[in-house]
Amino acid sequence: MAGAAVANFTVASTPRYFDRTTNEWKDAEALFMRCAVWRDAAENVAESLARGARVIVSGRLKQRNWTDAEGNKRTSVELEVDEVGPSLRFATAKVNRTPSTNRARPTTRPAETAAASDRSDQLVGAGVGAQAGQDPWRAAGGWGGASPADEPGF
């Protein structure tokens, strides 16, 4: 990924629990996860988030193995970030869409319908859509096109 923008950061996850014996909230041991986000998303992260900001991160765990200078085998785990954003639990955020470049549109999930073409552009910009009208859940045989009464109970 030579020449691609990258933002490396660490996310700390500290579980809290209520100790009934002392009637207090306590922090458990923190987990520190190294994260890397690439390309346009890296630039957006660098511009949007600050140290100490509460964030929500989604991605894939990657394990790397190497041998250090002393010949010891080492392993590290890192999160390759797909999505990152501010947590809105204790804050607000205003979202500004960045101008489109010549980047390829993601095809991870299709947009909802061909009739929603204006909306599908918004969904594609958010990393959700592909070609409008290719929603397999609305196709014949998929339960997404059926009535709500036909949906399976979860």
Side-chain angles (χ1 to χ4, degrees):
M1 297 192 204
V6 62
N8 293 302
F9 55 96
T10 300
V11 172
S13 175
T14 309
R16 298 194 85 201
Y17 66 95
F18 189 75
D19 186 343
R20 293 187 191 276
T21 60
T22 62
N23 265 354
E24 309 180 311
W25 284 97
K26 294 191 176 181
D27 291 336
E29 189 172 339
L31 168 73
F32 296 92
M33 179 62 59
R34 293 285 309 147
C35 300
V37 62
W38 294 87
R39 297 177 193 75
D40 290 341
E43 294 175 14
N44 293 341
V45 164
E47 186 175 322
S48 303
L49 300 176
R51 181 183 199 98
R54 200 176 169 109
V55 297
I56 298 171
V57 181
S58 173
R60 296 170 310 283
L61 290 174
K62 298 284 183 170
Q63 179 174 310
R64 291 186 301 165
N65 301 306
W66 77 95
T67 304
D68 65 16
E70 289 83 37
N72 300 315
K73 291 190 178 200
R74 309 283 294 190
T75 300
S76 67
V77 177
E78 180 177 272
L79 184 69
E80 189 171 303
V81 175
D82 292 325
E83 299 288 338
V84 58
S87 169
L88 300 180
R89 185 171 184 184
F90 300 113
T92 61
K94 181 173 169 51
V95 178
N96 298 314
R97 187 171 177 186
T98 56
S100 295
T101 60
N102 289 335
R103 61 183 165 227
R105 292 186 179 227
T107 57
T108 55
R109 290 188 288 198
E112 290 190 349
T113 63
S117 62
D118 290 342
R119 186 164 173 263
S120 72
D121 282 346
Q122 293 170 354
L123 292 173
V124 169
V128 176
Q131 298 298 320
Q134 292 181 353
D135 188 346
W137 296 107
R138 294 201 184 272
W143 64 265
S147 70
D150 296 332
E151 293 182 8
F154 295 110

